[in-house]
Amino acid sequence: MTDLPSDKQRQRERDQARTAPPNQGVGSFDVQPKHLYFTSLVVRDAQFAYDEKAKKLTDTLDKYSQSAGTGWGADSFADRYGIVAGKFLELWAKSVVSVGGVAVGFTQTANNYAQADWAARKGKGEPPEEKQPPAVIATVPKYGPPNDLTWRGGG
C-alpha cells in the first residue's frame, strides 16, 4: 500500500487547494476544475475520518467479549451477532474504499474537463496541468471479526 499522507500533510494540501466560493450571482453556476480538485481533497479527508470511526467502533466493541450471557438464547444471539456484525464491518470497510474512489473520480473529472476545455479552444495557450489524484485508502481495511459474545465461563 502506498504511504498515506499524515493529518498535517492532508490539511496543508487542502489549505493550498482552497478556492474562493463561486460567484453568488442569481442564475449562475460555474464549477471550475479548481473547485473539483478541492472537493477531491475534502472527500479524501472524509474517507480518512470514516475509516477512523470504524476503528474506534471496533475498539469499543472489542471491550465486550463474553457479554451475551448463558443459555441457548444467549448463545444463539451471540452466534447471529457475530455473523451480522462481521458482515457490517466488512461492508463498512468496502465502503471506505469506495469513498476514496469518489475522491479520485473528482480529480479525474477535473483533469478531463480542463483538457476538453483546452481542446475546445483549439489548443491555444499552455496545455492544462494534469493533477495527480489524492492518496486514498485503496485497499479494503480489516476491521473484524468482532469479539465473540458467547459466554465461555471466565473473563
Side-chain angles (χ1 to χ4, degrees), residues 33-145:
K34 64 183 178 182
H35 299 120
L36 293 174
Y37 291 132
F38 178 69
T39 301
S40 73
L41 296 175
V42 171
V43 171
R44 182 265 325 260
D45 290 350
Q47 180 201 35
F48 279 76
Y50 188 46
D51 174 61
E52 191 57 38
K53 295 296 183 189
K55 291 174 184 173
K56 286 182 180 179
L57 174 64
T58 56
D59 287 347
T60 300
L61 292 176
D62 284 349
K63 296 175 186 171
Y64 297 98
S65 60
Q66 299 190 68
S67 59
T70 61
W72 176 86
D75 288 350
S76 180
F77 170 80
D79 181 51
R80 295 295 173 223
Y81 169 83
I83 293 168
V84 172
K87 293 289 185 188
F88 175 79
L89 294 173
E90 180 182 333
L91 179 61
W92 191 328
K94 289 177 181 178
S95 69
V96 165
V97 174
S98 70
V99 172
V102 171
V104 170
F106 275 124
T107 299
Q108 188 61 51
T109 299
N111 286 337
N112 292 345
Y113 175 84
Q115 188 66 35
D117 187 51
W118 180 73
R121 290 183 278 118
K122 302 194 184 334
K124 292 182 181 170
E126 291 291 318
E129 174 189 351
E130 185 168 317
K131 301 252 185 184
Q132 291 299 309
V136 297
I137 300 167
T139 56
V140 178
K142 183 93 169 116
Y143 301 132

